[in-house]
Amino acid sequence: MRPRQSPRRAARTVTAATLLALAATQALITAPSATAAPTATAQKVTGAQDRAALAIARSLGDASWRTRLRSAVLASPDVALTPLAAKGDPALKSDLTAADHAIADAKGLGGKVGSLLRLRLGARSMRAALTDGTAPWVAAAASDDDTRTVTAYDSRGRAHTLDARKAPDHPVYVVDIDGTKALAAGLDVLREELAKKGVRSAAPAAVNTAASGRSAAASGGFWTTKIDAVELSDDEEPWVKGAAEIYTLVSGFGQDGKVRVDPVDMPYLDYDGTVYRPNQILVNWSNYKYNLADAVMMEDDGDTNYHDLAVAIADALLTITDQGAYIPLVDAILNAIPTSWWTDDPDYVDSWYTLAQNYNGTYYGARGNGWMTVEPYFVQEF
């Protein structure tokens, strides 16, 4: 199912002051050009993965290790690489540990995140050849949707250039990052750094029933916006690229009148062109002063430095003050991200202006790349 071309707009109650603010700040949302050179973070992450791929490929000259690794890959869609290597080749373990540290440092995650490297088979169609004993090649996962070629290494260290759009018949191991683990750690860094910068409200206050117009027992819980269904557009991606790691930055004015950003992890949203029904809470309205909020959906393609992202967003949002009416923050967040970061368009997935607390229905993204069906949901306290 694809997003419709003519979005159905929901009827919303907005003050005249908010409409003026919206007109002054909202612009057509398009991602900056993808022609910029790769960022330092992208180069470091890609370089570390490529070095790991070459080291693994060369290690496959050992028949015993090659058999053990093949069994692990066939038994699981995702193999924790460094711990497995630790049981065998000390030199390979050292190479992979160094790559893990380089990736964590490049992404601003520090040393506590642990091993991030994972190994998987490039495509399901390769299983038969791998099972039959064909010696696999090893490649680093692509972060760029627009890549046209993939470099894979054999056990002699020789490079083979492959078509990124068509999976080869020859089995290929893909060295990737544990995106779920990296994203969870990254969002912790993002929250921590935003809080240090002051882009966060005080502790959640009582439900803002005056803004919502609801007379439910506020002292017994709080209102939220819950995602019933969500889908992103179906775009062709390289076979070497794994599942997406999606998160959303929900923004608005906190109960203290200061701008706040709440990162929301969406670990289930793996693939384009698939309708997911997560029943996930997107907005906790007890955190916000107004009955409107914004959402910017992002994808971590492996090249996100969460510390730098938090600093860039905070520096931009700290200049915005509460004027007594809701002001959309989508443009400010997108403009805060340096142009050089947009080396892979899906780093910015889509955005939603003025999510309303009482809205029940489907919102279409401003970029036309996705939709969400939401409903108000009251979380009852025990």
Side-chain angles (χ1 to χ4, degrees), residues 183-202:
L183 179 56
L187 293 185
D188 284 342
V189 171
L190 190 62
R191 294 184 187 98
E192 181 180 346
E193 294 302 322
L194 287 172
K196 286 180 182 178
K197 286 281 190 174
V199 183
R200 190 172 182 175
S201 179

Side-chain angles (χ1 to χ4, degrees), residues 100-101 103-114 116 185 189:
D100 270 324
H101 289 165
I103 291 169
D105 181 66
K107 293 176 68 60
L109 300 179
K112 296 182 180 179
V113 68
L116 291 173
V189 171

Side-chain angles (χ1 to χ4, degrees), residues 358-380:
N358 62 353
Y359 183 65
N360 187 343
T362 300
Y363 279 115
Y364 292 85
R367 193 183 178 195
N369 199 38
W371 57 264
M372 293 188 293
T373 298
V374 301
E375 67 172 312
Y377 183 78
F378 188 77
V379 177
Q380 186 73 49

Side-chain angles (χ1 to χ4, degrees), residues 47-61:
Q49 287 179 264
D50 191 68
R51 291 192 297 273
L54 180 56
I56 295 165
R58 285 175 169 161
S59 75
L60 295 179

Side-chain angles (χ1 to χ4, degrees), residues 53 56-58 60-61 65-67 69-70 73 119-122 126 129-131 133-139 152-156 160 169-174:
I56 295 165
R58 285 175 169 161
L60 295 179
W65 164 247
R66 185 172 66 248
T67 299
L69 190 56
R70 180 176 66 234
V73 170
L119 194 73
R120 56 181 168 81
L121 192 59
M126 301 173 182
L130 183 65
T131 302
T134 302
W137 297 336
V138 187
Y153 301 100
D154 62 25
S155 60
R156 296 184 181 180
H160 301 264
D169 295 330
H170 195 100
V172 179
Y173 290 157
V174 177

Side-chain angles (χ1 to χ4, degrees), residues 207 209 214-226 281 357 375-381:
V207 177
T209 52
R214 297 181 181 274
S215 59
S219 61
F222 54 91
W223 282 101
T224 70
T225 289
K226 179 169 68 74
I281 290 176
Q357 180 176 344
E375 67 172 312
Y377 183 78
F378 188 77
V379 177
Q380 186 73 49
E381 292 182 0

